[in-house]
Amino acid sequence: VKLVAVSVDEDWAEVNRFFGATAPGFLVLWDRDKKTAFSYGSRKFPETFLIDPEGKVAAKFVGPRDWYNQATVQYFTEVLAGTRKPS
C-alpha cells in the first residue's frame, strides 16, 4: 500500500501552508495543470481514490473524511485482507 497526495493548489507555497512545519510521511505531487485530477474525474476537492494493482479506480471518496474512525479503519482492513470488495 502506498499513499500519494496530489495537490491542485496554485503553487507549492499553498501546499507547504497546508502541511505546516511538519512534512508528511508520504509523497506529495503537484498537478499544476490539473490534468491528472481531471483524468480521474475530479471536480470537487478533496477526493480520495483507492487504486487497484492494475491501476484502475477501485473506490472513490468525495469530500473530507475522518480516516481514523473505526468504520473507516475496518473498511480498509477488510479490503486489504481481501474479505471485502472496495466500493
Side-chain angles (χ1 to χ4, degrees), residues 2-83:
K2 291 186 182 190
L3 175 65
V4 177
V6 179
S7 172
V8 294
D9 289 307
E10 294 300 318
D11 56 37
W12 272 112
E14 290 185 44
V15 176
N16 290 333
R17 275 192 296 279
F18 177 80
F19 287 111
T22 306
F26 49 86
L27 181 62
V28 179
L29 302 175
W30 183 27
D31 187 12
R32 176 186 353 210
D33 299 322
K34 299 178 179 66
K35 289 179 182 177
T36 301
F38 289 136
S39 74
Y40 278 96
S42 291
R43 300 294 184 267
K44 274 182 114 171
F45 302 105
E47 291 181 335
T48 302
F49 295 88
L50 181 58
I51 309 297
D52 72 14
E54 288 78 37
K56 296 178 184 167
V57 175
K60 179 178 178 179
F61 307 89
V62 178
R65 295 282 191 271
D66 177 2
W67 296 109
Y68 296 104
N69 75 42
Q70 186 57 40
T72 303
V73 171
Q74 183 69 30
Y75 169 82
F76 282 102
T77 300
E78 292 172 4
V79 167
L80 293 172
T83 58

